[in-house]
C-alpha cells in the first residue's frame, strides 16, 4: 500500500473527509447543590450522530468537523461529525482488552497542522504478566487504501505489569503546547499511589517525546531499581499488608523525575482552565469522587484518606484527619463515577465559557461546575437518559459532544435550544 507524502496526507485528511443516584457536592463554603433538571429544562438540543462499540474517547482535528474516536476493544475511527460517516483507522497497536483496559485516550498534537501527529494511550500486555499503561504517538495519514496510523512509537510505558483496572491514561497538553500531562491510575492496588518509585496513582509531566519534563518537582531524581507488584487487595487495610513480587526496572527508573503530583486513585478527567490552572476529576471508592486542583509536588492522599469508604464498607480516614494532604475542591457522596472533564472555551454557549463539564457513569448524567480562581462550585446537573456518559468534549464549532458508554454507545452533539 503506497503512502503519499506527509504534507499531502495531512491536507487530504483535513479536506476530505441504569438508575440515577442522588448526589451531594461540597466545597469549602457550601454543601448545597441544585437538583437534577428534567429533559424539558435542558438548555440544549441533543442530536445523535453515530454509534460505536464501547467508545472511550475522541479528539477533533483542528478547525474541521472531523474527529478520531477510540473504541475500548482496540479500534479507532475517523468520523465526519456533519454526516456521521465513519472510516476505520488501520495500524492500531495491540491492546490488553478487558475490564477497564483497552484503548483509552487520544489527543491531537498541538502542531497537528504541521506534523499530523496524534497521541494515544492504551493498556498493553506486559512481559511480566498482566498489563501496563502505554503512551504512544503516530502520524494520522490517508493512504491509497484508507486511513491509518503511520510510524507508531511508544513514548512511555509502565514496564512493571501486573493485574488490576483503573489505568487512567488521560492526556492534557500544557497551555504552551511544549509538554504534556498524563494520568496514571493506581490499578486497584492502593499503596502504589504513595510509592514514589512507581508511576501508579500519579499525574506525570512529560516532554512531547515522553521524557521527564524540565522543572518537575523531582527533576534529576531516580527511583529504585526494583519495585514490588501486588495483586489488587480487598480494601485499604488489607493493602497495608499485601504480599507481592519483586520486579526489576528495565534501565533507569525515572518515575520520581516524571511525577507532577501523587496520591490519586482513578483520574479520568484532566483539563486546563484559561487561567492556566490544571483541574482533574477522579473516581473515589464507595463515594468520595473528587474534583481536584492539581499543583506540582502535592500529595492528594489516596489511599490514606478519602471522603468515601471501601466497597466492603471498611472506613477510610477523611481528608480532615490529614491536613498534610490536599483535599478536593468538590466531592460527591454517593458516587457519580466521573468519566471525563471538559473546560468549555467555545462561543456557541457563551454563558458557559469557562465552565467545567463532567460526564458521569453512575449518575447517567452531565454535570456543570464553575470556577473562580482556585475555587469550584457545582452549578447544574442534567439527567441524560438511556446511557452512561463516557466522554465529554468540544468541537471546533463550539458544540459539546458526548460519547455514551457501552456497546452501541452514541455520539451526541449538544447545541443551543430545546
Amino acid at each position: 500500500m503506497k503512502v503519499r507524502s506527509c504534507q499531502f496526507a495531512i491536507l487530504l485528511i483535513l479536506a476530505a473527509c441504569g438508575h440515577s443516584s442522588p448526589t451531594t457536592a461540597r466545597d469549602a463554603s457550601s454543601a448545597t447543590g441544585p437538583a437534577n433538571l428534567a429533559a424539558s429544562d435542558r438548555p440544549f438540543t441533543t442530536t445523535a450522530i453515530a454509534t460505536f462499540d464501547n467508545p472511550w474517547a475522541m479528539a477533533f482535528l483542528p478547525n474541521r468537523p472531523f474527529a478520531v474516536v477510540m473504541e475500548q476493544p482496540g479500534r479507532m475511527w475517523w468520523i465526519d461529525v456533519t454526516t456521521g460517516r465513519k472510516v476505520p483507522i488501520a495500524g492500531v497497536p495491540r491492546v490488553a482488552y478487558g475490564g477497564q483496559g483497552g484503548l483509552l485516550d487520544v489527543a491531537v498534537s498541538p502542531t497537528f497542522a504541521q506534523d499530523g501527529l496524534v497521541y494515544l494511550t492504551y493498556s498493553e500486555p506486559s512481559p511480566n504478566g498482566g498489563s501496563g499503561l502505554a503512551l504512544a504517538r503516530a502520524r494520522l495519514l490517508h493512504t491509497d487504501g484508507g486511513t491509518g496510523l503511520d510510524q507508531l512509537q511508544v513514548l512511555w510505558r509502565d514496564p512493571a505489569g501486573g493485574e488490576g483496572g483503573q489505568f487512567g491514561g488521560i492526556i492534557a497538553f500544557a497551555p504552551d503546547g511544549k509538554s504534556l500531562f498524563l494520568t496514571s491510575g493506581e490499578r486497584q492496588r492502593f499503596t502504589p499511589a504513595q510509592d514514589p518509585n512507581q508511576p501508579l496513582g500519579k499525574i506525570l509531566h512529560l516532554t512531547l517525546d515522553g521524557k521527564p519534563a524540565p522543572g518537575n518537582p523531582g527533576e534529576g531524581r531516580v527511583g529504585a531499581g526494583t519495585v514490588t507488584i501486588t495483586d489488587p487487595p480487598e480494601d485499604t487495610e488489607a493493602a497495608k499488608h499485601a504480599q507481592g513480587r519483586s520486579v526489576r526496572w528495565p534501565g533507569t527508573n525515572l518515575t520520581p523525575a516524571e511525577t507532577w503530583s501523587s496520591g490519586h486513585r482513578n483520574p479520568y478527567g484532566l483539563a486546563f482552565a484559561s487561567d492556566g490552572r490544571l483541574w482533574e476529576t477522579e473516581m473515589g471508592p464507595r463515594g468520595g469522587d473528587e474534583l481536584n486542583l492539581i499543583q506540582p509536588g502535592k500529595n492528594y492522599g489516596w489511599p490514606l484518606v478519602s471522603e468515601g469508604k471501601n466497597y466492603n464498607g471498611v472506613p477510610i480516614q477523611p481528608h480532615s484527619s490529614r491536613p498534610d494532604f490536599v483535599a478536593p475542591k468538590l466531592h460527591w457522596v454517593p458516587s457519580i463515577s466521573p468519566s471525563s472533564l471538559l473546560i468549555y472555551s467555545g462561543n456557541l454557549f457563551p454563558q458557559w465559557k469557562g465552565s467545567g463539564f463532567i460526564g458521569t457513569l453512575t449518575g447517567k448524567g452531565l454535570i456543570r461546575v464553575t470556577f473562580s480562581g482556585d475555587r469550584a462550585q457545582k452549578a447544574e446537573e442534567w439527567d441524560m437518559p438511556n446511557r452512561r456518559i463516557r466522554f465529554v468534549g468540544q468541537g471546533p464549532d463550539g458544540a459539546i459532544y458526548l460519547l455514551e458508554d457501552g456497546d452501541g454507545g452514541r455520539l451526541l452533539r449538544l447545541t443551543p435550544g430545546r
Side-chain angles (χ1 to χ4, degrees), residues 266-286:
N266 192 10
Y268 268 154
L270 192 68
F272 279 95
S274 60
D275 62 6
R277 288 183 169 90
L278 180 61
W279 294 88
E280 174 245 26
T281 52
E282 180 173 328
M283 289 190 183
R286 186 175 163 186

Side-chain angles (χ1 to χ4, degrees), residues 3-45:
V3 180
R4 301 173 189 176
S5 70
C6 180
Q7 181 179 8
F8 179 68
I10 295 169
L11 292 174
L12 185 56
I13 196 169
L14 291 176
C17 333
H19 174 70
S20 259
S21 301
T23 65
T24 302
R26 294 180 175 90
D27 65 8
S29 61
S30 174
T32 302
N36 290 2
L37 298 178
S40 60
D41 296 318
R42 296 181 202 146
F44 50 77
T45 297

Side-chain angles (χ1 to χ4, degrees), residues 43-393:
F44 50 77
T45 297
T46 303
T47 304
I49 298 171
T51 60
F52 296 91
D53 175 14
N54 291 284
W56 207 262
M58 70 182 295
F60 277 90
L61 306 187
N63 304 315
R64 295 293 189 273
F66 308 138
V68 175
V69 175
M70 307 281 265
E71 290 182 337
Q72 186 195 8
R75 292 176 293 272
M76 294 178 65
W77 296 88
W78 177 92
I79 181 171
D80 183 338
V81 298
T82 61
T83 64
R85 177 175 174 263
K86 302 189 301 184
V87 177
I89 297 175
V92 179
R94 179 189 174 199
V95 304
Y97 171 58
Q100 296 167 333
L103 281 180
L104 301 174
D105 197 21
V106 59
V108 173
S109 163
T111 52
F112 181 85
Q114 290 76 45
D115 54 34
L117 292 174
V118 293
Y119 289 70
L120 57 150
T121 59
Y122 54 96
S123 58
E124 61 176 359
S126 173
N128 293 322
S131 57
L133 177 65
L135 167 72
R137 72 180 174 195
R139 282 187 169 83
L140 181 63
L141 297 179
H142 187 82
T143 70
D144 292 336
T147 302
L149 299 179
D150 185 54
Q151 301 176 28
L152 186 132
Q153 176 188 11
V154 176
L155 302 176
W156 177 94
R157 58 166 44 102
D158 172 19
E163 302 300 326
Q166 298 185 178
F167 293 89
I170 305 304
I171 304 164
F173 290 105
D176 64 5
K178 296 180 180 179
S179 63
L180 64 86
F181 292 79
L182 173 68
T183 72
S184 177
E186 46 81 275
R187 302 294 306 278
Q188 298 165 298
R189 302 178 201 167
F190 302 100
T191 53
Q194 293 295 328
D195 183 354
N197 301 298
Q198 299 190 54
L200 305 188
K202 313 293 191 301
I203 293 177
L204 310 178
H205 183 208
L206 308 172
T207 68
L208 298 182
D209 295 324
K211 308 300 182 185
N216 280 350
E219 184 174 10
R221 299 178 190 170
V222 297
T226 301
V227 298
T228 300
I229 304 302
T230 61
D231 291 332
E234 184 178 2
D235 53 47
T236 52
E237 293 302 311
K240 296 175 182 178
H241 312 289
Q243 298 298 309
R245 66 185 187 280
S246 295
V247 172
R248 185 160 187 80
W249 205 268
T252 303
N253 185 348
L254 297 176
T255 299
E258 297 166 342
T259 299
W260 188 252
S261 62
S262 59
H264 301 289
R265 185 174 182 266
N266 192 10
Y268 268 154
L270 192 68
F272 279 95
S274 60
D275 62 6
R277 288 183 169 90
L278 180 61
W279 294 88
E280 174 245 26
T281 52
E282 180 173 328
M283 289 190 183
R286 186 175 163 186
D289 298 329
E290 298 177 358
L291 173 70
N292 289 304
L293 174 61
I294 301 302
Q295 298 173 289
K298 299 297 185 180
N299 190 321
Y300 291 78
W302 179 258
L304 303 178
V305 294
S306 174
E307 302 308 314
K309 61 181 69 174
N310 287 284
Y311 291 119
N312 59 7
V314 172
I316 306 171
Q317 292 296 311
H319 282 84
S320 60
S321 69
R322 292 289 302 270
D324 50 322
F325 294 134
V326 180
K329 297 298 182 178
L330 293 174
H331 71 268
W332 286 263
V333 178
S335 292
I336 59 168
S337 303
S339 61
S340 56
L341 174 64
L342 162 70
I343 298 182
Y344 186 76
S345 61
N347 296 318
L348 200 59
F349 296 97
Q351 74 276 23
W352 290 343
K353 187 169 288 191
S355 288
F357 290 86
I358 302 169
T360 72
L361 297 174
T362 301
K364 299 182 182 179
L366 180 64
I367 292 174
R368 184 173 76 90
V369 299
T370 58
F371 302 103
S372 178
D374 63 357
R375 295 175 61 83
Q377 176 68 49
K378 185 177 177 182
E380 295 172 282
E381 180 176 344
W382 298 283
D383 183 39
M384 305 297 293
N386 304 322
R387 295 277 185 165
R388 310 189 309 165
I389 303 302
R390 171 58 65 179
F391 172 85
V392 184

